């Protein structure tokens, strides 16, 4: 329809306007024609018109900018009409216009861009921010301000920064509004957030229409509202929201840059208007501070006094971009002319899919140098009052950035910045461009916000609507293990461990949760937890509680809370106590294992000897002593090992995988699918069991009597089952790691709050008290009972202790024998042959000898031997002297 409208209008004007015919390349002209399309009564149009005219004057007053060529501007008022915009754009062709500044809004830009494509006249718009005005569809459209794609990225990042998950989008139902909100949805999805409700409004929506729309908003859960409209519509929405109580505590309003435009242009706003926007967070196009910018701002009052007929007019960022747009065009045209650009216009020879002769369009002309001028525009690189002006390969301006402001009192406060380079920050973006980009969550910062209702604490972002509706919480009707969940017969009430945990967690929440527990299952068999979770996705239930294991395929359908009990899969099997004997300690190991163990200990002993030989006196001495030390060390180490009895033929899940015996599982449990899909166990081997009594019968019958070899179930059930049945035990290790949690729809904020509540229950000890109330049994829960079943008894080790005792006695006997021999050798001579001590004296002397340190004993023995040698030497000398005296004539025994 747009192209048909364009063709009709071109047909109307084709007879009146002549664009000239083809001509040779003309010399550098004195004047070039450019056009501008604004809605003169709009805020953007008022500011843009003044800024563009000021820029034209500045460019033309400086001959060095365009080498003496001047710009001739033609201004046309579109009066908010796309239809008039088309007409005015065609009128520009009468004066051979090289480029058009505008159009002002995205709706008109979509239509006029088709004309620009055909006539190859560049459009430079500083305010049409629709992200779908792409270069592929509209190559002659150039956006000289920031793309709304970046503004929506900034909004999404603010939502994610405050950890909200759902927003409500209120927008004008035109190209500008629809396409901007579509971009917001994409940006939110990248951050696992979403738009829960879209509220489209006509640009001229009445107060009654807005009221009807916001009443629907009030009945939803989300309290985060993003408003992307025009100035007039936006203020009507906020006025109605104030009336309906939607701007009080708990609500969050995020406005796109329409609100900052209003504040910049018409400030100060009336008191009633300021009351309606208290606590709002808004965005403003960011332009860095510079001397050029400050000079232009200081001149603005003079511009408005001379050029504005409506009195004082504030300078918005759109005015800055409008000013720089003229300079972009001036630099591009100068480069175009310097390279001898073609200023001629040629006849429009064809229009795609249309016979131009039948429509009398032969007089339509194309700007022959349009493509070249377009390239020169995209190549500009200078510093303007908005900062560095340069286009990316995607034809967007570099360094997109926004200020984040908070409306407080009679004014506003900047709480930070957003840039495509560094995300949210509290320092100006240009200070970060020289540093490596850092988009980590810890580096994203904003100053504190004063929210609606003067709240300083971050709003939760959602609330249960006051509609009288209760949350439908599904609860499985269990047949077995009703200590976890059970329905009170004849009522709609439930009791059990899981119910008490849920109730305690709900009571920890800082807000009321209206809910109703709905039974799920027929009461004859245990229902499937996976099916219960699936019904959350279809809207049958708003949540599910009970003994629901958190497993992978369920997390794809719903969000789970923090686990409130650990419960992985384990194997339960009968455990029999083996007959004890003197050599029962040998049973855990085979003969080869014992040999290998002994050999390893001998090797270890040898290694210890090598390491200790030079530094430890205990490992030094004669070779015989050292060998004995090594063997004794190895022998003692061997019997310090802690041994346990393996009293069940099933050692764990590996045994069940390797054999073909039947395996029991709890009917309705995820264990069945896990055994089949993950472990490859054939379905025919699996036997569903309903109750604990079925467990007992199946285990007692065994695989040879239509029973099972073992049961695979979750640890929580198994521990309750074993608490009163000591003849069974868990064998092997827990082979999955998971727990139980409460389930809610994807991205539900209640899942997060309930997780926090469960953690608080754990920290306060309430969770353990609830566990003890329902799950602690006394018959078979002591550790002694478990040891009686699973471990070897004391009387099974007397053979081992006998060996150790014999070894010790033998060592002591050898030691005692050696000591007695030493005592006999060294103390008999001291006693003398004539003196016989009493028994008590001999015992006392022996004990004193045993108490002496060996080094002292050896020292005394050495001194005694030296004394004896000395005595013998003296005796020998005396004997020699006597012989000499006898040789001189002295008689024996006669005094000389």
């Amino acid at each position: 329809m747009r192209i048909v409208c364009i063709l009709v209008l071109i047909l109307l004007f084709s007879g009146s306007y002549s664009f000239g015919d083809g001509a040779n390349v003309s010399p550098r002209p004195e004047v070039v024609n450019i056009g501008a399309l604004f809605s003169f009564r709009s805020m953007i149009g008022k500011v843009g018109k003044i800024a563009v005219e000021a820029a034209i004057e500045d460019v033309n007053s400086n001959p060095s900018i365009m080498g003496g060529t001047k710009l001739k501007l033609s201004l046309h008022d579109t009066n908010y009409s796309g239809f008039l915009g088309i007409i005015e754009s065609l009128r520009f062709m009468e004066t051979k216009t090289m480029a058009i500044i505008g159009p002002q809004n995205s709706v008109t830009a979509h239509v006029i861009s088709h004309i620009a494509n055909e006539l190859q006249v560049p459009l430079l718009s500083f305010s049409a921010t629709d992200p779908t005005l792409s270069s592929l569809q509209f190559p002659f459209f150039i956006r000289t301000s920031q793309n709304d794609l970046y503004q929506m990225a900034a909004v999404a990042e603010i939502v994610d920064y405050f950890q909200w998950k759902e927003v409500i989008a209120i927008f004008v139902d035109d190209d500008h509004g629809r396409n901007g909100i579509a971009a917001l949805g994409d940006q939110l999805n990248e951050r696992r957030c979403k738009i829960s409700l879209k509220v489209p409004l006509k640009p001229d929506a009445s107060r009654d229409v807005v009221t009807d729309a916001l009443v629907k908003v009030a009945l939803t859960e989300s309290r985060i509202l993003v408003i992307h409209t025009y100035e007039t519509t936006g203020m009507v929405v906020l006025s109605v929201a104030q009336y309906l109580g939607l701007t009080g505590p708990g609500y969050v309003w995020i406005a796109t840059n329409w609100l900052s435009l209003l504040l910049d242009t018409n400030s100060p706003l009336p008191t009633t208007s300021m009351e309606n926007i208290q606590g709002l967070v808004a965005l403003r196009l960011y332009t860095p501070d510079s001397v050029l910018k400050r000079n232009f701002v200081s001149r603005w009052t003079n511009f408005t006094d001379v050029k504005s007929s409506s009195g004082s007019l504030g300078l918005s960022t759109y005015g800055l971009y409008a000013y720089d747009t003229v300079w972009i065009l001036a630099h591009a045209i100068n480069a175009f002319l310097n390279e001898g650009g073609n200023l001629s216009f040629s006849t429009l020879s064809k229009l795609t899919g249309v016979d131009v002769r039948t429509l009398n369009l032969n007089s339509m002309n194309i700007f022959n140098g349009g493509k070249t001028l377009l390239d020169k525009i995209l190549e500009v690189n200078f510093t303007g009052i908005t900062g560095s002006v340069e286009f990316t390969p995607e034809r967007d301006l570099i360094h997109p950035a926004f200020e984040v402001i908070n409306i407080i009192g009679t004014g506003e406060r900047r709480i930070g910045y957003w840039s495509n380079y560094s995300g949210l920050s509290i320092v100006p973006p240009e200070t970060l461009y020289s540093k490596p980009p850092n988009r980590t969550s810890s580096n994203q910062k904003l100053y504190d916000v004063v929210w609606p209702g003067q709240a300083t604490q971050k709003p939760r972002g959602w609330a249960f609507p006051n509609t009288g509706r209760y949350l439908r919480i599904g609860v499985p009707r269990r047949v077995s293990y009703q200590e976890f969940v059970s329905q009170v017969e004849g009522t709609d009430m439930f009791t059990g461990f899981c119910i008490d945990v849920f109730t305690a967690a709900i009571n920890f929440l800082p807000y009321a949760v209206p809910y109703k527990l709905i039974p799920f299952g027929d009461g004859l068999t245990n229902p499937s937890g996976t099916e219960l979770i699936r019904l959350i996705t279809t809207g049958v239930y708003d949540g599910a509680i009970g003994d629901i294991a958190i497993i992978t395929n369920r997390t794809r359908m719903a969000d789970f809370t923090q686990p409130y009990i650990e419960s992985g899969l384990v194997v339960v099997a009968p455990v029999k106590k083996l007959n004890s004997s003197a050599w029962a300690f040998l049973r855990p190991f085979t003969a080869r294992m014992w040999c290998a163990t002994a050999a390893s200990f001998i090797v270890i002993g040898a290694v210890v000897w090598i390491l200790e030989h030079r530094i430890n006196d205990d490992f030094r001495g004669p070779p015989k002593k050292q060998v004995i030390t090594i063997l004794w060390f190895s022998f003692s180490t061997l019997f310090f090992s802690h041994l346990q009895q393996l009293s069940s033929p099933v050692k764990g899940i590996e045994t069940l995988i390797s054999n073909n015996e039947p395996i029991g599982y709890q009917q309705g449990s995820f264990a069945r699918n896990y055994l089949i899909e993950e472990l490859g166990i054939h379905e025919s081997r699996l036997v569903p069991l309903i109750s604990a009594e079925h467990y007992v019968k199946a285990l007692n019958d065994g695989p040879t009597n239509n029973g099972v070899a073992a049961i695979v179930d979750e640890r929580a059930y198994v521990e309750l089952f074993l608490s009163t049945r000591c003849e069974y035990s868990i064998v092997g290790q827990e082979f999955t790691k998971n727990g139980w949690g409460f389930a809610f729809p994807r991205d539900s904020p209640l899942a997060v709050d309930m997780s926090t509540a469960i953690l608080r229950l754990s920290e306060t000890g309430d969770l353990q008290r609830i566990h003890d109330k329902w799950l602690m049994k006394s018959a078979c829960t002591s550790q002694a009972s478990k040891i009686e079943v699973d471990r070897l008894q004391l009387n099974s080790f007397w053979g081992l202790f006998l060996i150790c005792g014999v070894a010790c006695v033998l060592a002591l006997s050898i030691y005692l024998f050696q000591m007695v021999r030493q005592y006999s050798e060294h103390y008999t001579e001291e006693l003398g042959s004539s003196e016989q001590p009493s028994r008590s004296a001999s015992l006392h002397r022996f004990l004193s000898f045993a108490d002496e340190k060996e080094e002292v004993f050896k020292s005394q023995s050495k001194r005694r031997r030296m004394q004896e040698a000395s005595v013998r030497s003296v005796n020998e000398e005396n004997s020699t002297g006597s012989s000499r005296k006898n040789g001189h004539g002295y008689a024996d025994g006669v005094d000389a």
Side-chain angles (χ1 to χ4, degrees):
M1 293 299 294
R2 285 176 176 171
I3 194 65
V4 172
C5 181
I6 293 168
L7 293 176
V8 172
L9 289 168
I10 292 175
L11 178 62
L12 292 173
F13 284 92
S14 60
S16 302
Y17 301 128
S18 174
F19 292 87
D21 49 16
N24 297 327
V25 177
S26 60
R28 190 178 187 97
E30 294 183 1
V31 175
V32 292
N33 297 324
I34 63 173
L37 292 172
F38 305 135
S39 295
F40 291 169
R41 291 182 296 135
S42 68
M43 291 185 186
I44 294 177
K46 291 175 183 179
V47 173
K49 179 176 179 294
I50 296 173
V52 167
E53 290 175 340
I56 294 290
E57 292 178 2
D58 291 345
V59 169
N60 289 341
S61 64
N62 189 346
S64 64
I65 303 299
M66 296 185 62
T69 300
K70 294 187 177 182
L71 299 175
K72 183 180 179 181
L73 176 67
S74 296
L75 284 167
H76 289 195
D77 185 5
T78 61
N79 196 25
Y80 296 103
S81 171
F83 180 78
L84 290 179
I86 297 173
I87 295 176
E88 298 301 337
S89 65
L90 291 173
R91 285 181 175 175
F92 283 132
M93 298 301 103
E94 183 180 12
T95 56
K96 299 182 179 180
T97 301
M98 294 180 63
I100 299 173
I101 298 175
Q104 178 179 316
N105 61 57
S106 299
V107 176
T108 307
H110 273 278
V111 179
I112 296 180
S113 292
H114 290 286
I115 299 175
N117 287 349
E118 296 301 329
L119 302 181
Q120 297 187 9
V121 176
L123 297 176
L124 291 83
S125 177
F126 58 85
S127 57
T129 55
D130 178 3
T132 64
L133 288 166
S134 65
S135 59
L136 295 177
Q137 184 181 11
F138 305 116
F140 281 85
F141 175 83
I142 303 168
R143 184 184 293 106
T144 57
S145 64
Q146 298 300 343
N147 192 331
D148 261 354
L149 178 66
Y150 299 115
Q151 179 168 217
M152 297 308 166
V155 172
E157 202 140 354
I158 292 172
V159 171
D160 186 53
Y161 173 79
F162 289 107
Q163 299 178 342
W164 298 315
K165 293 300 180 182
E166 295 184 4
V167 305
I168 296 173
I170 302 173
F171 59 97
V172 287
D173 192 15
D174 61 10
D175 290 333
H176 170 70
R178 283 192 306 270
N179 297 330
I181 293 303
L184 174 62
D186 294 339
Q187 294 294 327
L188 289 172
N189 288 337
E190 291 180 6
R191 296 161 175 83
R192 290 201 64 185
C193 305
K194 68 177 183 180
I195 299 175
S196 60
L197 178 66
K198 292 183 179 180
V199 184
L201 298 171
K202 292 181 179 180
D204 58 350
S206 66
R207 187 178 181 89
D208 290 339
V209 171
V210 172
T211 301
D212 292 341
L214 292 189
V215 167
K216 296 178 182 178
V217 170
L219 299 179
T220 61
E221 288 187 2
S222 178
R223 292 295 184 262
I224 313 300
L225 298 100
V226 176
I227 179 168
H228 181 56
T229 62
Y230 302 118
E231 307 84 58
T232 303
T233 308
M235 292 308 294
V236 172
V237 169
L238 291 171
S239 175
V240 173
Q242 173 80 359
Y243 174 76
L244 295 177
L246 302 183
T247 58
Y251 282 90
V252 174
W253 287 81
I254 302 175
T256 53
N257 62 345
W258 66 266
L259 182 57
S260 61
L261 167 66
L262 181 64
L263 293 171
D264 292 340
T265 308
N266 286 357
S267 185
L269 298 180
T271 302
T272 55
S273 297
M274 289 302 299
E275 290 176 354
N276 295 337
I277 62 175
Q278 289 299 300
L280 265 69
V281 173
L283 296 176
R284 175 187 285 121
L285 288 165
Y286 174 72
T287 56
D289 187 34
S290 66
V291 175
L292 287 175
K293 179 180 175 181
R294 288 195 297 269
N295 290 341
F296 183 77
V297 171
S298 66
R299 298 164 56 197
W300 182 254
T301 303
N302 295 332
F303 294 152
T304 57
D305 290 342
V306 174
K307 301 179 182 295
S308 175
S309 60
S310 57
S312 178
L313 189 67
L315 174 62
S316 68
T317 50
Y318 285 114
L320 303 178
Y321 281 105
Y323 182 87
D324 274 354
T325 299
V326 175
W327 284 84
I328 291 172
L329 194 54
H331 286 293
I333 291 175
N334 183 57
F336 173 82
L337 295 176
N338 287 341
E339 295 183 4
N342 190 351
L343 288 174
S344 65
F345 292 79
S346 60
T347 302
L348 180 65
S349 59
K350 67 176 182 177
L351 196 62
T352 304
V354 178
D355 187 346
V356 297
R357 291 171 298 179
T358 60
L359 293 176
N360 193 26
L361 300 178
N362 291 325
S363 60
M364 294 297 297
N365 295 322
I366 298 175
F367 176 31
N368 294 327
K371 290 183 178 179
T372 304
L373 178 59
L374 176 66
D375 293 338
K376 296 304 177 184
I377 292 172
L378 297 175
E379 292 173 1
V380 298
N381 187 349
F382 69 97
T383 299
I385 60 175
T386 59
S388 297
V389 179
E390 183 180 352
F391 290 96
T392 68
E394 293 77 24
R395 298 171 55 161
D396 291 319
L397 288 176
I398 62 171
H399 303 321
F402 291 84
E403 290 181 61
V404 185
I405 61 174
N406 183 205
I407 312 302
I408 305 173
T410 58
E412 65 184 60
R413 181 174 67 98
R414 183 191 299 125
I415 59 173
Y417 305 87
W418 178 91
S419 73
N420 192 47
Y421 184 79
S422 56
L424 297 172
S425 66
I426 56 176
V427 296
E430 64 270 18
T431 63
L432 302 174
Y433 294 145
S434 60
K435 302 177 182 178
N438 186 350
R439 301 298 293 268
T440 60
S441 58
S442 60
N443 198 56
Q444 304 299 295
K445 296 179 181 178
L446 289 175
Y447 289 117
D448 293 337
V449 180
V450 177
W451 304 102
Q454 297 184 347
T456 56
Q457 185 176 3
K458 183 196 78 171
R460 189 168 63 248
W462 68 279
F464 291 105
N466 188 20
T467 61
R469 179 181 177 273
Y470 289 85
L471 292 181
R472 294 173 55 86
I473 306 297
V475 184
R477 295 180 64 188
R478 290 201 56 84
V479 178
S480 60
Y481 300 113
Q482 293 190 350
E483 291 88 345
F484 294 105
V485 178
S486 66
Q487 185 174 11
V488 179
E489 188 174 354
T491 71
D492 57 358
M493 298 176 60
F494 289 82
T495 62
F497 168 72
C498 301
I499 302 301
D500 280 5
V501 172
F502 175 75
T503 303
I506 284 288
N507 291 336
F508 261 122
L509 297 180
Y511 49 87
V513 179
Y515 68 91
K516 184 177 183 180
L517 300 182
I518 309 297
F520 170 70
D522 56 13
L524 302 176
T525 59
N526 292 326
S528 168
T530 301
E531 178 62 18
L532 176 58
I533 300 302
R534 190 190 67 79
L535 292 176
I536 295 177
T537 65
T538 62
V540 175
Y541 298 116
D542 300 309
I545 66 173
D547 50 338
I548 304 173
I550 305 172
I551 56 177
T552 303
N553 64 331
R554 294 176 184 174
T555 59
R556 297 190 183 104
M557 296 185 285
D559 282 353
F560 282 84
T561 63
Q562 169 85 11
Y564 57 88
I565 187 173
E566 298 298 325
S567 185
L569 290 178
V570 294
V571 178
V572 180
V575 180
K576 297 180 180 180
K577 182 169 62 174
L578 296 177
N579 294 327
S580 296
S581 67
W583 307 102
F585 70 91
L586 293 175
R587 286 176 182 154
F589 294 158
T590 62
R592 293 179 62 184
M593 183 62 186
W594 277 110
C595 293
T597 303
S600 66
F601 285 139
I602 291 174
V603 170
I604 291 172
V607 171
V608 171
W609 176 82
I610 293 173
L611 296 175
E612 297 286 338
H613 175 66
R614 300 187 64 188
I615 61 175
N616 194 335
D617 291 340
D618 293 335
F619 291 85
R620 299 183 65 85
K624 180 180 178 182
K625 176 184 177 184
Q626 297 179 45
V627 171
I628 293 173
T629 301
I630 292 172
L631 293 177
W632 174 252
F633 179 83
S634 302
F635 185 77
S636 61
T637 303
L638 173 65
F639 289 102
F640 276 127
S641 301
H642 300 285
L643 305 173
Q644 289 191 350
Q645 186 181 24
L646 303 177
S647 57
S648 172
V650 178
K651 312 304 180 187
I653 189 63
E654 296 81 7
T655 304
L656 299 179
I657 294 174
S658 62
N659 63 32
N660 291 317
E661 294 180 337
I663 304 170
Y665 70 93
Q666 184 180 172
Q667 189 269 333
S669 169
F670 76 94
R672 179 182 185 277
N673 289 340
Y674 184 87
L675 294 173
I676 296 173
E677 298 172 3
E678 301 297 331
L679 302 184
I681 295 175
H682 198 273
E683 182 179 0
S684 61
R685 295 178 56 196
L686 302 181
V687 179
L689 303 172
I690 297 178
S691 65
E693 290 72 22
H694 292 163
Y695 281 27
V696 172
K697 185 178 186 305
L699 290 172
N700 289 342
D701 290 344
T704 60
N705 193 23
N706 296 326
V708 297
I711 294 174
V712 173
D713 205 350
E714 297 176 64
R715 178 177 285 276
Y717 302 122
V718 170
E719 289 180 347
L720 186 61
F721 172 74
L722 296 179
S723 65
T724 56
R725 297 169 179 86
C726 304
E727 64 271 26
Y728 312 105
S729 179
I730 296 173
V731 294
Q733 300 295 319
E734 184 175 319
F735 57 93
T736 66
K737 296 291 184 181
N738 54 1
W740 293 354
F742 305 133
F744 297 95
R746 294 299 300 270
D747 300 321
S748 169
L750 189 57
V752 178
D753 291 349
M754 286 292 285
S755 293
T756 303
I758 290 171
L759 289 175
R760 291 186 61 191
L761 285 175
S762 178
E763 293 169 355
T764 59
D766 290 343
L767 188 59
Q768 184 62 43
R769 283 189 284 273
I770 297 173
H771 177 276
D772 295 344
K773 170 186 174 182
W774 288 99
L775 306 180
M776 287 294 289
K777 303 295 182 180
S778 58
C780 196
T781 54
S782 67
Q783 185 66 19
S785 298
K786 182 173 174 61
I787 294 175
E788 178 69 25
V789 175
D790 290 345
R791 296 183 178 178
L792 292 169
Q793 305 304 308
L794 183 62
N795 59 5
S796 299
F797 281 87
W798 73 264
L800 177 61
F801 288 116
L802 177 62
I803 294 175
C804 294
V806 170
C808 292
V809 170
L810 181 61
L812 287 173
S813 298
I814 295 174
Y815 175 74
L816 182 61
F817 173 77
Q818 291 177 342
M819 189 168 57
V820 169
R821 189 182 64 179
Q822 292 174 354
Y823 176 80
S824 300
E825 290 177 353
H826 296 285
Y827 282 88
T828 301
E829 296 179 359
E830 291 185 4
L831 295 175
S833 58
S834 61
E835 185 179 347
Q836 196 71 21
S838 65
R839 290 183 178 180
S840 60
S842 298
L843 179 60
H844 183 269
R845 183 181 293 274
F846 177 77
L847 293 176
S848 299
F849 170 75
D851 188 52
E852 283 185 350
K853 192 174 182 181
E854 188 174 358
E855 293 179 358
V856 176
F857 161 73
K858 290 180 178 180
S859 178
Q860 291 176 353
S861 298
K862 183 177 180 181
R863 287 197 301 270
R864 186 180 298 110
R865 287 194 297 270
M866 293 177 63
Q867 289 174 358
E868 290 176 352
S870 175
V871 170
R872 284 196 299 272
S873 175
V874 170
N875 291 338
E876 289 176 358
E877 289 180 358
N878 290 338
S879 176
T880 302
S882 299
S883 298
R884 288 177 178 172
K885 287 181 180 180
N886 292 332
H888 284 87
Y890 293 102
D892 291 341
V894 178
D895 188 0

